[in-house]
Amino acid sequence: MARVLVTRARDDAERTAQALAARGHRAIIAPLIEIVWTPDPVPPPDNVQAILATSANAVAALLHQRVRRDLQLYAVGDRTAEMARAGGFTFVRSAGGDSASLAALVAAQADRLGGPLFHGAGAETRGDLASLLEARGFDVRTSVLYEAVAVANLPAVLRDGLQNDAIDMALFFSPRSAAIFAARVAGAGLVDHCRRIRACCISRAVAGALSPIAFANVAIADSPAHDAVIALADATAC
């Protein structure tokens, strides 16, 4: 059994903890970001042909609004797609990856002349997908639906885990959370305690955001998907 640090926002962290428990590991949940809904997001235009969701948080925010559920929704990954279907969206397709794979799926299936695409985005990712699709000739209307707000200090459970060398592994799912981890750990003077921890990252970009910190080793998942990170953690724990 490995003691695995999970730094995702609380709801996402709970799901990751369940997946780890199913493989015999114990999750240490210490969220480094909090999801805050945008007070007055711009709604989709009447002539929108499809909605683009780059995270489950975006879908959760959409479900709080009066958004048509009969519109085509393109989701970045399977978890986001599952959440959209559970929320009543009728036509959902999953890109099974990251923003680049989502852009490729949309470009292959949507009509450049069929009306604008609506991207429900987070404050940190508002331009990534739009720029990829606009380069392909699509009209993308982006609305910031939520913001991932960084914690001001290390959560107590994370501080204690580092100080007591009680963390075997840490999972990182976004460059933002990885960068927050690096900054907060350095600010607390606990960098040296990371030298025995194995880091599992969802992408090279995430690993790069951890570069100021020296870990026992840094591994990158085979694909940018939640289950791939869980599989990597399980393999690394062996």
Side-chain angles (χ1 to χ4, degrees):
M1 179 190 76
R3 298 165 297 181
V4 186
L5 174 66
V6 182
T7 61
R8 312 180 79 193
R10 176 66 60 179
D11 289 348
D12 291 332
E14 294 289 354
R15 181 172 66 93
T16 299
Q18 291 176 6
L20 290 167
R23 294 175 180 252
H25 306 300
R26 180 170 70 86
I28 301 169
I29 297 177
L32 294 179
I33 58 174
E34 178 184 0
I35 303 302
V36 178
W37 305 134
T38 301
D40 297 303
V42 176
D46 292 337
N47 62 334
V48 65
Q49 65 167 304
I51 293 174
L52 316 179
T54 43
S55 72
N57 290 320
V59 172
L62 286 167
L63 295 177
H64 278 77
Q65 303 177 37
R66 293 181 178 179
V67 178
R68 287 172 51 194
R69 305 295 202 268
D70 60 341
L71 290 169
Q72 175 71 61
L73 186 142
Y74 293 98
V76 68
D78 294 343
R79 166 60 179 165
T80 303
E82 289 169 8
M83 190 167 183
R85 293 188 185 99
F89 283 95
T90 307
F91 307 102
V92 180
R93 294 185 182 275
S94 170
D98 54 13
S99 291
S101 57
L102 179 56
L105 174 66
V106 173
Q109 297 188 359
D111 182 359
R112 290 172 179 79
L113 303 178
L117 302 169
F118 178 80
H119 177 206
E124 299 299 318
T125 59
R126 70 184 75 187
D128 299 347
L129 180 62
S131 61
L132 291 171
L133 286 168
E134 286 168 353
R136 291 174 164 90
F138 286 93
D139 176 13
V140 182
R141 312 288 177 85
T142 301
S143 179
V144 175
L145 303 180
Y146 67 93
E147 181 178 3
V149 179
V151 298
N153 301 294
L154 280 182
V157 65
L158 174 50
R159 181 186 293 275
D160 292 345
L162 290 172
Q163 290 176 333
N164 297 318
D165 293 328
I167 299 172
D168 303 311
M169 189 182 307
L171 310 187
F172 297 98
F173 291 86
S174 73
R176 178 92 189 286
S177 60
I180 294 168
F181 175 89
R184 297 296 181 267
V185 169
L190 296 172
V191 170
D192 287 345
H193 289 271
C194 294
R195 294 184 181 276
R196 63 176 300 280
I197 296 174
R198 291 158 286 174
C200 296
C201 304
I202 198 169
S203 69
R204 293 189 181 278
V206 172
L210 291 173
S211 59
I213 304 292
F215 290 89
N217 71 287
V218 178
I220 300 170
D222 291 336
S223 63
H226 176 267
D227 289 349
V229 177
I230 298 300
L232 174 63
D234 196 42
T236 303
C238 298

